[in-house]
Amino acid sequence: MTCKINRSTMLRYFTVLLFFLFSVSLLYTQEEYKEIINNDSSFTNEKPHRVVKTLNKKTKKNKPKNIILLIGDGMGLSQVYAAMTVNGGQLNIAQMPYTGFSITTCYDKYITDSGAGGTAIAIGKKTYYGALGVDAEAMPSESILEIAEKHSLKTGLVSTSAITHATPASFIAHQKSRNMYEEIANDFLNTDIDVFIGGGKKHFIQRKDGRNLLTELKTKGYQVGEKLTDIEDLKRPYAVLTDSVHTPKYPHRGELLPDATDMAVKTLSTGKKGFFLMVEGSQIDWGCHQNNTDYLLLETLDFDKAVGKALEFAVKDKNTLVIVTADHETGGMAIVGGNFEKHTIQAKYASTKHTAVMVPVFAYGPGADCFTGIYQNTDIFKKMKLLFGFK
């Protein structure tokens, strides 16, 4: 028996297939940074930045009023040392006097993703791969941001990804999957977070349920803008959604990350009882996924400028703990050559995915000595909670 298919039928099949592939591509728009592999292996830094000075003084106070947690997504020791090399041997991160190591494994896998990795830091519990703000049984658990909020501290999130992406969302959302972007956006309306800056505007306004969450935010008293300069009153809550999904990579987005960090700190420091702020350098991870040395180092250097803004405030304030860490390492980066004077680095990679290697934790300010040694990523939450004095 011979089966004949005419041209019009074939055309219909082909059209359906194209539509299906297009639909799938839309579903994974937030994760497209993982798909393009670029094996660049060298980088020269044309514009080294200055670092904050006189930071190696150890503080005697044990209890901070404020905590600024900065997460370099995918940033392991190799990424830090490579950035240090191309910046002439100097980084703001390198000025921090206390260092430890965090074990990043999640509940059900040896190698974590950013959802489970961010959640472990945010809620202090290991969870399954891809989870967001829930424990291993998929039950919601309060984050350090939400606990701080309950104790009348001001709170904020800053990210160079969509604000609904895994790491920032870990601190405010409670969803079974990190891919539930519209549900994650809903969760921002369930808190009284004072400041959030990042991409992801699409998930607030282009929704299946027809809601416009930006209008609802305005009703709650938030200022809403697309640029930092859109915010007129730094004493009132605000949301700055800088892009439809993710912000452009550095340098195309300009000094958005350090400027947003500085602006958030100025707003949150007006609170009498203190504040908690999480800042993410999201795209270090994306450069590592691509094995793109230029991309990951430009992002790491940009992240270090944001660290500098946090440290400048902490040095003057004397009541602020600054913590710098990562949710996991990406790429298995190995430094195979470099030159401090020429600001160059050569690198090779073991993977285009996340790895299981421990990541560094750097700390400065009151309570910073609690972050030395080797410990689970969940302990970062526990240490912050203890130092804030929350029961």
Side-chain angles (χ1 to χ4, degrees), residues 206-222:
Q206 297 176 21
R207 301 170 53 83
K208 294 176 183 177
D209 60 12
R211 291 170 65 188
N212 186 324
L213 300 190
L214 298 189
T215 300
E216 294 181 31
L217 282 168
K218 290 177 183 177
T219 301
K220 285 189 70 174
Y222 283 83

Side-chain angles (χ1 to χ4, degrees), residues 253-296:
R253 64 173 176 266
E255 301 302 308
L256 174 64
L257 183 60
D259 288 350
T261 302
D262 187 49
M263 181 169 157
V265 167
K266 285 177 180 175
T267 296
L268 300 179
S269 61
T270 60
K272 294 181 180 180
K273 292 192 175 183
F275 68 82
F276 171 80
L277 171 65
M278 194 289 294
V279 177
E280 185 201 20
S282 319
Q283 298 188 39
I284 300 169
D285 174 64
W286 307 356
C288 293
H289 275 296
Q290 296 180 22
N291 292 175
N292 187 326
T293 308
D294 289 43
Y295 189 0
L296 76 89

Side-chain angles (χ1 to χ4, degrees), residues 113-129:
D113 80 308
S114 293
T119 295
I121 298 171
I123 72 171
K125 297 175 183 178
K126 296 279 187 179
T127 192
Y128 58 90
Y129 195 95

Side-chain angles (χ1 to χ4, degrees), residues 157 174 188 231 263:
L157 294 173
H174 306 282
F188 280 82
I231 305 306
M263 181 169 157

Side-chain angles (χ1 to χ4, degrees), residues 312-332:
E312 282 180 338
F313 174 80
V315 169
K316 294 176 183 176
D317 178 68
K318 296 183 174 59
N319 292 308
T320 299
L321 170 64
V322 179
I323 307 162
V324 177
T325 189
D327 48 355
H328 54 74
E329 195 273 347
T330 304

Side-chain angles (χ1 to χ4, degrees), residues 101-112:
F101 293 92
S102 166
I103 299 168
T104 65
T105 56
C106 63
Y107 177 77
D108 58 343
K109 290 181 182 287
Y110 185 60
I111 299 176
T112 191

